[in-house]
Amino acid sequence: MALGVLQPDLVNVAGVAPILIRLADGTVESIAGLGHWPMSLPPDLFMREHGGRMPEGILRTVVPAAPDAWITALERHGTMSFPDIAAFAIRYAAEGFQTNSLLAHTIAAHRDEYARWPQNAAIYLPGGAPPAVGSLFVQSDLARTLTYMADEARRADAAGGRMAGLAAARDAFYKGDIAREIVAFQQREGGYLSREDRRISAPASSRWCAAAGAGTRSSPAARGARGRR
């Protein structure tokens, strides 16, 4: 999660998050952490209107999978609460951090792309220019988003325990104010993501024995995904 704050040009908190977890017995579990296309997206849209190319902008959006993947990993194998896990990400987003050379270089190299959209320019081009190495990089809106998830988790945790808190953090993103804002933005910009898409946000997963390298055991979602390829 913190990586999505510290390297937001390459990793996105509302993006994808493939996860591999090696357990003490040698079993390796994968959590796909990959988003589906919006259910209402016409299957022939890119061929029919864009010559088979994927256009830049809102139409590239898939269902955000990273929050669900992280919380799934915490539910299955974690011991910490969501507010504890999110604390450093919230801090670095709210207070900022010194822009590293990779972040500065990447933003500068894609300056024109960021400038095309005011929402992106406000974050990545503060004052109208790419951030300089060592300058403070702040993401206030992202801090408020993660804080809202942590606050909802904290309230549920106090009443029902850690698992209830994790469920509340997931709901805060996929069912609450955050989801409403994401969908409203999509509708204003001509996107296809809707509140119905949260129903397919759960990540597929599979397990296999690292020592044997075979005998994969998969969830129904993972088996169905393989069957459709």
Side-chain angles (χ1 to χ4, degrees), residues 5-229:
V5 174
L6 297 172
Q7 206 68 61
D9 55 322
L10 302 177
V11 183
N12 198 290
V13 168
V16 299
I19 298 172
L20 286 176
I21 301 172
R22 187 183 189 279
L23 305 180
D25 64 359
T27 299
V28 177
E29 176 177 341
S30 70
I31 299 174
L34 301 175
H36 300 262
W37 287 106
M39 290 190 293
S40 62
L41 182 76
D44 65 340
L45 177 68
F46 297 133
M47 292 297 295
R48 174 167 42 86
E49 296 187 8
H50 302 281
R53 300 174 62 88
M54 189 179 296
E56 294 184 353
I58 199 74
L59 294 181
R60 293 188 175 202
T61 306
V62 297
V63 177
D68 193 34
W70 294 329
I71 293 170
T72 296
L74 287 171
E75 288 172 335
R76 295 178 183 175
H77 306 292
T79 59
M80 298 175 68
S81 68
F82 183 86
D84 288 338
I85 291 293
F88 284 107
I90 293 171
R91 173 187 170 186
Y92 289 129
E95 299 177 9
F97 59 91
Q98 287 190 327
T99 303
N100 58 69
S101 58
L102 177 60
L103 179 60
H105 172 77
T106 305
I107 294 176
H110 297 277
R111 175 176 182 165
D112 291 343
E113 290 97 318
Y114 286 119
R116 287 180 59 186
W117 291 280
Q119 301 87 351
N120 286 344
I123 300 169
Y124 296 100
L125 303 174
V133 174
S135 64
L136 197 64
F137 193 82
V138 178
Q139 300 165 87
S140 301
D141 288 341
L142 180 55
R144 285 192 288 271
T145 295
L146 294 175
T147 297
Y148 171 68
M149 294 174 68
D151 288 344
E152 292 295 294
R154 193 173 288 109
R155 280 190 283 270
D157 197 334
R162 191 181 78 92
M163 296 298 283
L166 293 174
R170 178 186 281 112
D171 287 347
F173 188 93
Y174 290 100
K175 299 180 182 180
D177 292 348
I178 300 170
R180 183 165 54 250
E181 288 298 317
I182 291 173
V183 170
F185 178 79
Q186 285 274 320
Q187 292 175 343
R188 290 196 303 269
E189 298 293 321
Y192 287 88
L193 202 64
S194 74
R195 294 295 290 270
E196 296 301 310
D197 287 307
R198 66 176 172 77
R199 297 178 182 176
I200 57 171
S201 63
S205 66
S206 62
R207 288 188 176 189
W208 67 92
C209 179
T216 304
R217 301 193 306 278
S218 309
S219 71
R223 290 194 295 272
R226 286 199 298 274
R228 289 191 294 271
R229 287 201 292 267

